[in-house]
């Protein structure tokens, strides 16, 4: 399940990087007064007599499809992560409860019942949130940052280096 979540995370991040590229193609090719050379994929999909509206519609349909796929990957990630985190939470709480059952009565005389209950419920929930939501958010942000850096270098490495200096 974690491997599937990782794959969905990578696919979602790549799709997020496609959006700005498609917007750039739309602006450069169809909204600019002097369009530059069209990318090879766009020339292959458009006929020679296709006008700017047809090209813009094609690029925007790809953009809409990429946003829908991003949404789909995020929903699948969320559902899988919730399922995994609930299983981990159940396992952690079961193990803590089993350990509490093995302890002597002396241990319970020295500890407050509220503290033990807090550890059983609240602390395990915090750990679950940190590893579930926090880890996925951190990895997603890290992958997006790496993708942006690579995209900037691929588009114009001089401008990318100048922006990194800032």
């Amino acid at each position: 399940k974690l491997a599937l979540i990782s794959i969905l995370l990578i696919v979602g991040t790549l799709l997020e990087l496609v959006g700005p590229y498609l917007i750039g193609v739309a602006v450069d090719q169809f909204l600019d007064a002097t369009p530059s050379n069209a990318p090879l994929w766009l020339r292959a999909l458009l006929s020679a007599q296709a006008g700017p509206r047809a090209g813009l519609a094609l690029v925007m349909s790809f953009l809409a499809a990429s946003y829908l796929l991003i949404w789909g990957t995020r929903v699948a990630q969320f559902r899988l992560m919730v399922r995994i985190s609930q299983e981990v939470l159940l396992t952690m709480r079961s193990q803590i409860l089993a350990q509490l059952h093995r302890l002597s009565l002396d241990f319970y005389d020295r500890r407050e019942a509220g503290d033990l209950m807090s550890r059983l419920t609240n602390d395990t929930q915090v750990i679950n949130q940190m590893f579930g939501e926090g880890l996925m958010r951190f990895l997603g942000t890290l992958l997006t940052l790496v993708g942006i850096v690579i995209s900037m270098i691929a588009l114009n490495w001089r401008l990318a280096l100048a922006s990194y200096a800032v």
Side-chain angles (χ1 to χ4, degrees):
K1 290 179 185 176
L2 287 175
L4 180 59
I5 289 174
S6 300
I7 290 169
L8 288 171
L9 183 67
I10 291 169
V11 168
T13 301
L14 290 174
L15 288 170
E16 284 179 6
L17 296 172
V18 167
Y21 169 74
L22 289 174
I23 292 171
V25 168
V27 169
D28 291 345
Q29 297 302 313
F30 308 111
L31 301 178
D32 195 8
T34 58
S36 59
N37 288 337
L40 184 62
W41 64 268
L42 187 59
R43 285 183 288 191
L45 292 175
L46 287 177
S47 63
Q49 58 268 45
R53 280 192 173 169
L56 186 59
L58 178 69
V59 173
M60 289 299 109
S61 63
F62 281 151
L63 184 64
S66 73
Y67 286 153
L68 282 173
L69 288 172
I70 290 169
W71 175 80
T73 59
R74 296 295 180 241
V75 167
Q77 273 180 279
F78 177 75
R79 287 183 175 213
L80 283 170
M81 202 59 213
V82 165
R83 185 171 292 143
I84 290 172
S85 64
Q86 290 301 312
E87 290 170 4
V88 169
L89 188 62
L90 175 66
T91 303
M92 284 173 45
R93 287 182 177 166
S94 298
Q95 288 175 351
I96 291 172
L97 187 62
Q99 179 62 29
L100 288 174
H101 285 169
R102 285 191 291 269
L103 296 173
S104 67
L105 291 177
D106 245 6
F107 175 81
Y108 292 105
D109 284 340
R110 289 180 274 133
R111 302 278 195 276
E112 293 182 25
D115 182 49
L116 295 174
M117 290 302 295
S118 172
R119 294 202 186 278
L120 185 61
T121 56
N122 298 335
D123 292 358
T124 54
Q125 183 66 33
V126 168
I127 291 170
N128 182 40
Q129 286 177 346
M130 182 183 73
F131 283 112
E133 299 166 20
L135 186 63
M136 284 294 115
R137 188 171 293 140
F138 173 74
L139 290 176
T141 303
L142 183 65
L143 281 174
T144 302
L145 179 65
V146 168
I148 289 170
V149 167
I150 291 171
S151 298
M152 288 174 66
I153 290 172
L155 288 173
N156 189 336
W157 66 271
R158 290 181 190 98
L159 186 59
L161 290 178
S163 68
Y164 299 151
V166 173

